[in-house]
Amino acid sequence: MNIPEELGYTKEHEWVRFNDDGTVTMGITEFATDQLGDVVYVDLPPVGTTVRQFEKFGEIESVKAVSELFSGISGEVVEVNEKLGDQPELVNSDPYGEGWMLRVRPSNPAERDNLLSAADYGALTA
Amino acid sequence: MAERTALFGCHQAAGARFVDFNGWDMPVQYTSILAEHRAVRSHAGIFDTSHMGQIAVRGQDAGAWLDWLLPNDIAGLAIGQARYSPLLADDGGTLDDLMVYRLSDEDYLVVVNAGGRAGDLAWFEEHRRGAVDIEPRYADRAMIAVQGPAAVDVVAALAEDGLATLPRFAIRPAKVAGRSVLAARTGYTGEDGLELFLSGSDAPAVWDTLLGAGVTPCGLGARDTLRLEAGLPLYGNELDRTTNPYEAGLGWTVKLAKPAFIGKEALIAVKASGPARTLVGFRVEDRGIARHGHPVLVDGQPAGVVTSGSYTPTVDAAIGMAYLPTPAAVVGAPIQIVVRDRPLAARIVPRPFYRRER
C-alpha cells in the first residue's frame, strides 16, 4: 500500500500535503480507496467554507457504501477539485494526485503536530 | 463460523474480497464492482451462486403439490422447463421467491434464496401432503451462473452437446468441461446466460475452465447492481412478509384460475380492491445516491421507503425502487428521496431501467 513519506495523515484515512504557498491539500489515502471500492460520488463543500480539524467536511460514496470525510486541518477552503464531479473514479486511480479533494488555508498551522506520520499511519493500517 | 461454498478456494486464489451474506462467506468483488458489472453487460461474467438453496422435490404427487404450494402454474410446467414463483403465506404475504425446474416426470429442483432456505424447508414440511419427498441437497451441490451476451457461446464451446440451442427457461443435463451438470438458460442479471447446477467436487474445475475461456469472475456487488438495472426484485428488499405479488409487480405469477393454492383467497381480495401500494422505479436527478431505507416524499409528504438504490454503470445514474401509494405511482411523476436529511429530486421511471438488445 502506497503511503507517501512527506504527507500527514488522520486516523480516518485522509492525507494532508503542506504546499510551499502555505496552503494545504487534502484527499483520502490509497488504503481508504481500497476499502471503499469504486467511488461514484464525492460531496465537497464550496470555496469559502470553514472546515475544522478532524470534523466532517463532506461525504464520499462508493457503489456499496457511504463514508464521511474528515478534515486534516482547520481553515478556509480556497479550492475544490471540480473534476471529481464528473470523474469521481480519479479518487481510486490517483488518490494522492488527480484525486485530491480540497485546498485549505490553515488557520492554525500548529495543528500539523496532531497529524500522524507516514510511519504511524502505516502501522495503523498494517 | 460462516459457511463456505465449494468454490471458496477459487475465490481466495483470485484475491476476492469477502462479505457475510446470510451466513455464507461470499465474494463481494474481485477487482471492481463497476468493472465486473460492465464485463457482464459487454461479454460474460461468472458468479458463484452455490449459497442458494437447492431443494429436490420428488414423488408421484410432486407436481400437483407444488402447484398448490405456489401461486404460479406448476402443473403446466413441461419436463425440462423452469418457472419463477413467489412463495406465499395464507394472507398473501411473501415468504420467499424461487425457481422451479422440472427435471423429469416426478422430479423437480426448487432453488430458493440462501436466507430463506431453512424457513422454506420448514414451510414445505409443514404443508407436505401426498406422495412427496423433500430433500435439501445444498451441502454437496454447487451452482455457477454464467451471464452476458457471450455467455451461452462460451459455455457451449466447452460442452459436448450443443447448449447454444437451449431455449430460454429450459433446463437439461449436459457435460461442461467434461463434468456432468444441469444447464438452465436462466439468470438474474438482465442478460442472456446459463445457470449450471453441479456437484461441489466438480465445481472448481468447471469454474477454472470458464475463467480460462475468458469470462470475468463477478461478486455479489455486481450481481446486485445488475439485477437492480434489470428491475428484478430481491427478497428482503422489494419482497418480504408484508408485500404481496400484486403490489410488487408480480401479478403475472398469480394464477387465480387454478382451483386452489396457498394465499389464493387473500389475493382474490387484493386484486378486487387493487393493491394499496405499488413498487416503482425511480431515477435520482439531483447529485447523490438513494439507498435502501431512505424515505420517499410525494408532494413533500412521507409516502414510502426506498427498497433498493445504487449508482449503476450501464444506466450511469443513481436509480432505485420504492413502494408508493398506488395513486402516486405514476411514471414521470416527480418525487423526492431524503438522503441524510437532504431531499433529492427524483422521478418515477419505467422498469426495467435496462433492457438488453435481442
Side-chain angles (χ1 to χ4, degrees):
Chain A
M1 205 65 71
N2 181 17
I3 305 174
E5 193 58 40
E6 70 278 14
L7 306 181
Y9 296 88
T10 72
K11 287 179 189 166
E12 306 284 352
H13 311 291
E14 288 84 13
W15 57 261
V16 179
R17 174 179 289 121
F18 293 86
N19 303 314
D20 292 340
D21 66 357
T23 64
V24 305
T25 305
M26 290 192 244
I28 65 169
T29 65
E30 188 178 306
F31 177 85
T33 64
D34 186 60
Q35 294 293 309
L36 278 168
D38 299 303
V39 173
V40 292
Y41 176 64
V42 186
D43 186 32
L44 299 174
V47 168
T49 305
T50 298
V51 296
R52 296 193 184 285
Q53 190 174 38
F54 306 141
E55 291 187 10
K56 180 184 164 181
F57 71 78
E59 288 173 349
I60 185 164
E61 297 207 40
S62 65
V63 179
K64 290 307 286 179
V66 57
S67 296
E68 297 187 326
L69 296 166
F70 297 91
S71 183
I73 208 134
S74 304
E76 182 189 337
V77 177
V78 295
E79 192 181 359
V80 174
N81 188 355
E82 303 289 351
K83 270 193 186 173
L84 299 183
D86 290 333
Q87 298 170 266
E89 65 273 16
L90 290 173
V91 177
N92 292 105
S93 60
D94 191 8
Y96 301 109
E98 292 268 304
W100 69 277
M101 293 175 183
L102 299 183
R103 202 158 62 82
V104 170
R105 186 171 305 286
S107 54
N108 179 7
E111 285 179 346
R112 182 173 186 167
D113 296 340
N114 301 334
L115 296 171
L116 301 173
S117 67
D120 289 344
Y121 179 70
L124 184 73
T125 56
Chain B
M1 178 76 187
E3 293 194 71
R4 293 175 172 180
T5 74
L7 294 165
F8 183 82
C10 298
H11 307 322
Q12 241 177 353
R17 178 161 297 165
F18 290 87
V19 66
D20 180 273
F21 184 77
N22 293 124
W24 289 83
D25 212 358
M26 297 299 292
V28 65
Q29 68 173 63
Y30 296 83
T31 56
S32 143
I33 292 172
L34 298 182
E36 291 161 25
H37 179 117
R38 290 182 182 119
V40 171
R41 290 278 182 254
S42 64
H43 184 66
I46 183 172
F47 301 81
D48 178 9
T49 52
S50 307
H51 59 304
M52 300 195 74
Q54 299 184 37
I55 301 170
V57 177
R58 299 191 183 100
Q60 197 185 322
D61 298 327
W65 177 71
L66 286 168
D67 196 64
W68 169 74
L69 186 79
L70 302 170
N72 208 341
D73 172 25
I74 306 300
L77 194 61
I79 293 170
Q81 276 194 333
R83 194 154 287 162
Y84 170 83
S85 182
L87 176 70
L88 304 179
D90 293 308
D91 64 2
T94 308
L95 298 169
D96 201 358
D97 66 334
L98 50 79
M99 290 290 292
V100 179
Y101 298 87
R102 187 172 188 188
L103 305 181
S104 69
D105 195 28
E106 298 180 358
D107 186 0
Y108 294 79
L109 169 64
V110 180
V111 178
V112 305
N113 287 298
R117 189 185 61 82
D120 294 352
L121 275 169
W123 180 265
F124 288 8
E125 283 297 341
E126 187 186 331
H127 293 84
R128 186 149 65 103
R129 350 164 129 175
V132 174
D133 184 47
I134 298 163
E135 182 198 345
R137 41 183 213 160
Y138 69 99
D140 61 334
R141 299 291 292 175
M143 179 174 170
I144 296 171
V146 194
Q147 301 279 296
V152 174
D153 287 342
V154 169
V155 179
L158 299 169
E160 289 170 7
D161 34 16
L163 271 180
T165 57
L166 188 69
R168 283 288 293 164
F169 285 90
I171 183 167
R172 71 167 166 82
K175 287 246 184 194
V176 174
R179 315 289 169 136
S180 295
V181 306
L182 284 171
R185 198 149 183 175
T186 50
Y188 188 56
T189 59
E191 294 298 332
D192 195 4
L194 295 166
E195 292 180 300
L196 309 177
F197 302 91
L198 68 170
S199 86
S201 54
D202 285 337
V206 172
W207 178 272
D208 288 340
T209 303
L210 285 163
L211 287 190
V215 301
T216 302
C218 300
L220 293 182
R223 188 167 162 83
D224 193 48
T225 53
L226 288 159
R227 71 91 195 165
L228 175 58
E229 279 186 343
L232 298 169
L234 173 65
Y235 195 84
N237 288 35
E238 284 70 37
L239 309 177
D240 63 34
R241 189 63 188 76
T242 72
T243 66
N244 68 59
Y246 288 115
E247 57 195 22
L250 297 175
W252 60 274
T253 67
V254 179
K255 309 301 185 198
L256 291 180
K258 293 203 297 184
F261 63 86
I262 295 176
K264 181 178 175 181
E265 287 68 31
L267 289 181
I268 288 171
V270 173
K271 184 158 196 203
S273 62
R277 55 181 185 165
T278 297
L279 187 67
V280 299
F282 65 81
R283 186 178 177 124
V284 178
E285 298 184 331
D286 278 339
R287 284 170 48 77
I289 297 167
R291 295 188 191 270
H292 177 77
H294 289 162
V296 182
L297 309 181
V298 173
D299 297 329
Q301 298 301 311
V305 176
V306 174
T307 53
S308 294
S310 183
Y311 168 85
T312 68
T314 315
V315 177
D316 190 21
I319 58 172
M321 295 189 264
Y323 280 103
L324 291 179
T326 299
V330 179
V331 168
I335 59 175
Q336 288 178 306
I337 317 285
V338 184
V339 178
R340 293 179 291 284
D341 300 326
R342 202 164 36 128
L344 302 182
R347 193 171 295 278
I348 299 175
V349 298
R351 284 188 300 146
F353 304 92
Y354 164 84
R355 199 186 293 273
R356 71 187 167 96
E357 292 170 27
R358 288 172 197 254

